[in-house]
Each structure stands twice: as C-alpha cells, then as structure tokens.
Amino acid sequence: MTFRLAHLSDPHVGPLGRVRLHQLLGKRATGYANWRRGRSRSHDMSVLEALVLDLKGQGAGHIACTGDLCNIGLPSEWETARTFLEALGPPEAVSFVPGNHDAYVRGSLEGLLAACGRYTGDDSGSSGCFPYLRRRGPVALVGLSSAIPTKPFVATGRLGAPQLAAAESLLRALATEPGRPFRVVMIHHPPQPGGAAAGRELKDAAAFTAMIARAGAELILHGHNHVLSSAVIPGPDGRSVPVVGVPSASARPDGHGAIASRRASYLLYEITPSGAAFTVSARRRGLDAAGVLCDLGPVDLGPVDRA
C-alpha cells in the first residue's frame, strides 16, 4: 500500500502581535527591525492559507513541518504557531521539528514547545524531546532539533553529540527490525557540509553525515534555505540517501518567491513497499509563474539505491 507523506517548511506565521519594548532586547531588536523593513512583506499569509487548503486535499497520510513557525520567538507567536499546526491537522497526523527562528532567543524554544509539544510527541508518550520516533504505516519518522539561540545576524544550528548518538542508536535499531520501515529524518537546517552559507549552517553537519553513513536512512527532509533543493549523502554499504529541502510555504510571489526554485510550495512523497525494499517518488505543488496554485511536476531525488 502506498503511503503519501507531505512536507512543508518555514511558514513564518504572522502577523506579529503587539510587541512590548522590554521584549525587544538583544537579538529580538535587530530581528524586529528586519521584520519591519522587509521580512514581513516577504511572507504572505493568504498564500500560506491557500497552500494548506491545497495540501489537505491531497490525501496525505502524514504531514512533516520542518521548522520556523515563528519570526522572532515572541510569546505571542507561540499560540499563533499552535493555531497554524492545528489547521494542518491533529498531532497524530502532523510532525514538527523546530528551526532557528523558533529558538530566536533563550526561552523561545521552551515556550513554543510548551504550546506545540504534542506535535513532537514520541510514540512512547513523551514530547518536546529530540530525537523522537513516530511510526505511520510503513514509515518511521525521526524528528531532530537543530534549533539553538544565536547572536544577532547568525542563523546557525547544532544537534550536539548526545542527540546525534541517540539518533544513531534509533536509526540502527529500526534498520534491524523485521520488515524494516522507511526511515525519514526531519531536521530544519540542511544537514550536509556546504548545505547552507556561512553563518547559516549546521555546525555539526560533518558529524551528522558521518552518522548517516554508519546508521543509514531512506530520506532526509529539511527547510531553512527557502529554496527547493535536492542532494545525496552516503549511507551504509555505498548506498545514497536523498536530502531534500523545500521553499518557504508563505513566500510572496512578487518577492523572493518570483524565482522558480523559491516559489511557495510543498512536496508530496509516495512511498510504496516493494518486497524487502521501497519505491519512492516526489512531486511539488505550489505557485506557478502566474501565481496559480498547481502541480509543478516531479522532483529528482538523485541516483538513490532504495534497496
């Protein structure tokens, strides 16, 4: 039976609520200034609403959201973020991992997870802990958090040695199960070295790719760059693992979203068990050059051995 998985990212849900002066300390001050100068006009909530309505009509068995619900990590944004996730679906049908904007300053990530933690719920019943595991049909979703507070004008991420070790144990255990599931890793930052510009990269990308080379995965999903991208990294035994990023789900069509690879969109994966292996394909749905929401065609996952 084919399992359909949808992936969207970086909605940057707005508008910002009332901002109090004492909240604009440190990094939030520069972030708020950037939001007022242009970021608020880079994201269109009507585009996001249309994209979500279209996604919900595609019959996805599950939805993966890879971060940046927030803009500058204000307390007023946490309930807005939860409202957005609830519009996508119930916690059982939607998995979320946080991005750098969700951990904008110290305390932001904890506040967001208090509001939205059920969307990070592990099958064991815990929530807000990473990595987490959710089994849905033939798919095992492994959620990682690369979200950390950083200095102004820096948007780096980090997993840390304990999370990497736990993820490796989890992926290895899944690989040895009878009827091995299709392992999907969700992370916000592009996880491969060179996947993002300096100041925006995953600091332990080399350690992550080394871990995947040992433990393996079938698919890695990310956001952060606000652009459609596809790469491969080595898995065990010479196999390749696809790494796919999506544009912002709220990109305005007359801004950065005017570039084809940056137009607001999401991906739909069809994952089908085939004997002891899987077949997988991906299609992109979103805005075309005329601003019409439609099927934008297949996405090349690269030369991947899915056996």
Side-chain angles (χ1 to χ4, degrees):
M1 183 177 66
T2 295
F3 187 86
R4 185 170 285 188
L5 174 68
H7 173 214
L8 79 166
S9 195
D10 298 80
H12 291 280
V13 183
L16 290 181
R18 182 181 177 185
V19 180
R20 299 184 182 276
L21 186 60
H22 74 272
Q23 295 174 323
L24 297 180
L25 299 175
K27 186 172 181 174
R28 275 205 190 119
T30 56
Y32 184 67
N34 288 338
W35 184 83
R36 291 292 299 269
R37 280 201 300 262
R39 180 177 286 277
S40 64
R41 294 183 292 278
S42 298
H43 299 280
D44 189 329
M45 294 305 102
S46 64
V47 168
L48 180 60
E49 181 180 7
L51 209 70
V52 169
L53 286 174
D54 185 81
L55 188 159
K56 289 175 71 68
Q58 299 306 309
H62 200 76
I63 300 170
C65 179
T66 51
D68 278 2
L69 301 183
C70 296
N71 294 284
I72 59 174
L74 289 167
S76 60
E77 295 187 86
W78 302 334
E79 289 304 313
T80 304
R82 183 170 68 179
T83 299
F84 168 74
L85 289 175
E86 289 172 346
L88 283 179
E92 310 81 56
V94 180
S95 293
F96 165 70
V97 295
N100 54 292
H101 282 264
D102 301 319
Y104 209 71
V105 298
R106 293 187 184 279
S108 291
L109 181 57
E110 291 79 4
L112 178 67
L113 292 177
C116 303
R118 291 195 301 156
Y119 289 87
T120 67
D122 187 271
D123 283 347
S124 68
S126 64
S127 64
C129 300
F130 302 93
Y132 66 76
L133 169 64
R134 303 179 122 191
R135 299 172 186 268
R136 301 294 184 269
V139 172
L141 296 137
V142 177
L144 304 180
S145 176
S146 58
I148 56 171
T150 58
K151 297 177 181 179
F153 309 111
V154 176
T156 54
R158 187 183 301 276
L159 293 166
Q163 188 177 185
L164 280 166
E168 179 167 359
S169 295
L170 186 54
L171 290 167
R172 285 182 179 274
L174 290 167
T176 63
E177 290 183 357
R180 187 184 75 188
F182 187 93
R183 297 165 296 171
V184 177
V185 176
M186 301 172 296
I187 184 173
H188 178 70
H189 289 78
Q192 73 276 28
R200 294 178 49 80
E201 76 277 22
L202 182 70
K203 286 295 189 179
D204 42 9
F208 175 87
T209 53
M211 181 272 288
I212 293 296
R214 296 189 298 268
E218 280 63 61
L219 178 63
I220 300 169
L221 307 179
H222 71 85
H224 190 56
N225 283 344
H226 294 199
V227 63
L228 179 68
S229 63
S230 179
V232 293
I233 60 175
D237 304 321
R239 296 175 181 172
S240 296
V241 180
V243 179
V244 186
V246 290
S248 164
S250 61
R252 289 182 63 91
D254 55 353
H256 287 301
I259 302 170
S261 61
R262 291 183 174 272
R263 290 179 194 142
S265 50
Y266 64 92
L267 295 190
L268 277 173
Y269 293 90
E270 292 200 341
I271 300 162
T272 306
S274 178
F278 293 90
T279 60
V280 58
S281 62
R283 298 192 69 84
R284 182 184 181 194
R285 290 189 63 84
L287 299 183
D288 65 9
V292 176
L293 208 160
C294 61
D295 187 324
L296 298 174
V299 175
D300 182 12
L301 299 181
V304 181
D305 180 357
R306 303 179 187 92

